[in-house]
């Protein structure tokens, strides 16, 4: 309370003038730089938030692009695998068909070879039989034709059987 009693109007005016001068000096030299730095800070924060939003949108877009690319890659992979399976089946079927045709050719060649060998064997047997028959006939004729009368009778018999004009 004593402070209230010591109140003097001169001191009040001087303190008010000093206060106003201090306010002016602070406003001129301190508040403007402080307000300027606060405004710059606010602007940089807003810019950072906008950049963060843009980055978030870009990340979402990249994620969608990645998912789309993955879907396309999976579809392409599935298509390639299907094509490879189809090609494998086609090659296997062609190989089977080719093997079947080759097998049939080999069987036919073997049959022809067997037939040729059979024919050759038959011809050889016929030749041998012919040779053997001639040899047997020769031996039989030699025995029967040891005398001249039998030879004349045989020649006449052969001449009678054959048709000579």
């Amino acid at each position: 309370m004593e402070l209230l009693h010591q109140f003097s109007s001169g001191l009040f005016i001087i303190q008010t003038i000093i206060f106003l001068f201090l306010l002016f000096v602070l406003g001129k030299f301190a508040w403007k730089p402080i307000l300027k730095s606060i405004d710059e800070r606010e602007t940089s924060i807003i810019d950072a938030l906008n950049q963060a939003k843009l980055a978030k949108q870009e990340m979402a877009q990249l994620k969608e692009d990645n998912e789309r690319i993955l879907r396309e890659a999976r579809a392409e992979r599935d298509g390639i695998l299907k094509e490879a399976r189809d090609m494998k089946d086609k090659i296997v079927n062609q190989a089977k068909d080719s093997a079947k045709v080759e097998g049939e050719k080999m069987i036919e060649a073997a049959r022809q070879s067997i037939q040729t060998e059979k024919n050759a064997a038959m011809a050889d047997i016929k030749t041998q039989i012919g040779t053997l028959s001639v040899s047997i006939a020769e031996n039989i004729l030699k025995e029967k034709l040891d005398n001249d009368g039998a030879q004349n009778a045989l020649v006449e018999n052969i001449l009678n059987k054959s048709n000579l004009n």
Side-chain angles (χ1 to χ4, degrees):
M1 291 265 200
E2 243 180 71
L3 284 174
L4 288 175
H5 290 294
Q6 294 179 355
F7 181 73
S8 82
S9 61
L11 184 60
F12 178 72
I13 293 175
I14 288 177
Q15 286 178 347
T16 304
I17 291 174
I18 291 174
F19 180 72
L20 290 175
F21 177 72
L22 185 60
L23 279 177
F24 174 74
V25 170
L26 285 176
K28 188 81 170 159
F29 297 108
W31 285 345
K32 284 185 182 181
I34 290 172
L35 290 176
K36 183 179 176 186
S37 66
I38 289 173
D39 288 340
E40 287 175 1
R41 177 77 175 143
E42 182 181 2
T43 304
S44 67
I45 289 172
I46 290 171
D47 288 343
L49 287 174
N50 289 336
Q51 288 177 357
K53 285 179 185 177
L54 288 174
K56 186 177 179 181
Q57 290 173 351
E58 287 178 13
M59 289 299 291
Q61 184 65 35
L62 287 174
K63 185 177 178 182
E64 289 176 14
D65 289 345
N66 285 342
E67 289 174 1
R68 179 185 50 81
I69 290 170
L70 282 173
R71 282 192 304 270
E72 290 174 359
R74 285 184 186 125
E76 186 174 341
R77 177 200 65 196
D78 292 342
I80 290 171
L81 288 175
K82 183 183 181 300
E83 185 177 323
R85 275 188 233 113
D86 292 344
M87 187 174 287
K88 176 197 72 143
D89 292 341
K90 182 180 177 184
I91 290 171
V92 167
N93 289 336
Q94 285 178 348
K96 285 180 183 178
D97 293 342
S98 176
K100 185 177 179 181
V101 168
E102 279 297 315
E104 289 173 0
K105 284 181 183 178
M106 290 174 70
I107 290 171
E108 186 60 32
R111 283 182 186 153
Q112 288 177 356
S113 175
I114 290 170
Q115 187 64 35
T116 303
E117 289 178 17
K118 180 180 170 185
N119 291 340
M122 292 297 280
D124 187 40
I125 289 172
K126 286 179 183 179
T127 303
Q128 288 177 5
I129 289 173
T131 304
L132 187 60
S133 296
V134 168
S135 176
I136 291 172
E138 182 181 337
N139 287 334
I140 291 173
L141 286 176
K142 277 184 185 179
E143 285 181 27
K144 284 189 171 189
L145 298 178
D146 277 341
N147 59 29
D148 287 334
Q151 287 178 0
N152 288 335
L154 182 63
V155 169
E156 285 178 19
N157 187 15
I158 290 174
L159 288 174
N160 289 336
K161 285 184 181 176
S162 65
N163 289 332
L164 294 175
N165 292 335

